[in-house]
Amino acid sequence: MKSVLFNWTWSMGMLRSGSESELIKTLHYEGAGGTIQVNGQPCTLTKYQMDANYQLPGYRVQIACTRANKTTYTNVENLSGDFSWDDDIAGAELVPGKGKSTPRPEAYEERWIRLWASPQGAPKAAIAAAAGLPPAESFGQNPATLLDRQAAAGAKSLATLEWLPAEKPGLAERAVITFPIPGLAGAMAKATLDGKTYLPSSVVVTHGANTTEFVYSNWQDWNNPLFKIEALYAGTMVERKGGVVLRTVRAKVTEVGQIYVIVPVPESVQKAGPAKKS
């Protein structure tokens, strides 16, 4: 387990410093195209920008797309702590009189799963589960050293590891790690890693009767050409729920590093109350 978790994060470039600690706090991501489902219909993306924070869990996704009838859809999806909401402009209502925020508690579980099944969120959640800790406490440490220390202290791992046969002769076996989605009771994720590169090809999350599949491919360093740091991210991400494709997004550029990302909750959303987790 500790070897697989170490190799997974090492291959993605998430281990930094001389002690090879997992040090990715935030992400800035810009998509280069794709489609999302809007009211059950495909909408061609013209903008998809995500800013995520894994330490204060949350994200902001700015979306613009064109429907088949040529009309434009725009939205800003937000998740922060126990709250989820939509904005008509980024940072709506944080300055009085500017923008409108709409509470979306019914979207909370979908967005929370999307964060912790993401290319960087999934290994963080898996390490935390294997260490028997919340992600905030497992962050900033060498995964192998952390698991050794937790095992010596008698901590119980909440993650399991199995191996699948190679898909074709000559290829390596595939590691499969099963772990809980942090903070969402009953939600379990299963990440399938390539046995040679240790990069994930998919993360499948089951929660009650719902199954959401995230398929990842075309792994590269998508950072600006002037700031390549060998931190890989999936170039193509496909999200399916119940077999229906909800999102297909292709990467344009990322900024993987310690950038400043906060997602403050507007007062009106706080007054509406946190999402109820089923």
Side-chain angles (χ1 to χ4, degrees):
M1 175 69 81
K2 71 178 181 180
S3 176
V4 170
L5 289 173
F6 181 90
N7 286 327
W8 182 0
T9 46
W10 184 89
S11 296
M12 288 182 57
M14 296 177 69
L15 303 186
R16 298 284 157 175
S17 79
S19 61
E20 296 182 312
S21 300
E22 196 282 289
L23 292 174
I24 302 301
K25 282 186 178 181
T26 55
L27 170 73
H28 173 79
Y29 172 95
E30 295 180 23
T35 60
I36 67 169
Q37 288 282 324
V38 176
N39 297 325
Q41 299 297 319
C43 195
T44 301
L45 289 167
T46 56
K47 179 177 183 178
Y48 192 92
Q49 177 177 311
M50 168 183 267
D51 292 283
N53 188 320
Y54 305 108
Q55 288 306 102
L56 300 172
Y59 63 70
R60 178 185 300 109
V61 181
Q62 299 180 56
I63 296 171
C65 61
T66 304
R67 300 181 178 94
N69 62 6
K70 306 303 180 182
T71 60
T72 299
Y73 169 85
T74 61
N75 192 28
V76 183
E77 298 179 349
N78 299 278
L79 171 75
S80 184
D82 292 334
F83 296 88
S84 61
W85 71 100
D86 290 347
D87 286 338
D88 58 354
I89 61 172
E93 296 188 11
L94 299 181
V95 175
K98 289 192 176 183
K100 172 65 176 176
S101 297
T102 303
R104 289 289 310 279
E106 74 282 3
Y108 176 83
E109 292 180 13
E110 174 184 284
R111 296 180 186 180
W112 190 255
I113 288 173
R114 188 174 292 133
L115 176 66
W116 292 112
S118 69
Q120 292 176 337
K124 287 174 173 287
I127 291 170
L133 294 170
E137 294 183 30
S138 62
F139 172 77
Q141 303 184 58
N142 178 300
T145 303
L146 172 65
L147 264 60
D148 280 342
R149 185 170 64 250
Q150 288 296 100
K156 181 181 178 181
S157 173
L158 301 177
T160 60
L161 171 66
E162 60 180 316
W163 294 90
L164 295 180
E167 293 180 285
K168 297 179 181 179
L171 297 181
E173 291 181 305
R174 293 164 292 160
V176 179
I177 296 184
T178 302
F179 56 93
I181 295 293
L184 193 57
M188 297 295 296
K190 181 174 289 190
T192 301
L193 314 182
D194 178 86
K196 186 175 180 180
T197 66
Y198 288 91
L199 297 173
S201 58
S202 69
V203 179
V204 179
V205 180
T206 56
H207 187 219
N210 295 321
T211 298
T212 309
E213 180 185 18
F214 302 85
V215 179
Y216 301 129
S217 60
N218 192 18
W219 291 87
Q220 297 182 39
D221 182 348
W222 293 95
N223 271 22
N224 184 290
L226 299 177
F227 190 52
K228 296 290 187 183
I229 59 173
E230 297 184 0
L232 306 189
Y233 204 82
T236 301
M237 299 185 290
V238 179
E239 178 182 338
R240 301 189 188 100
K241 189 171 185 179
V244 177
V245 176
L246 299 183
R247 299 187 178 196
T248 299
V249 187
R250 297 186 297 275
K252 177 182 179 182
V253 65
T254 61
E255 186 169 348
V256 177
Q258 310 303 24
I259 59 175
Y260 182 67
V261 176
I262 59 169
V263 190
V265 183
E267 184 177 352
S268 65
V269 176
Q270 293 185 46
K271 288 182 178 178
K276 294 181 180 179
K277 305 175 188 179
S278 61

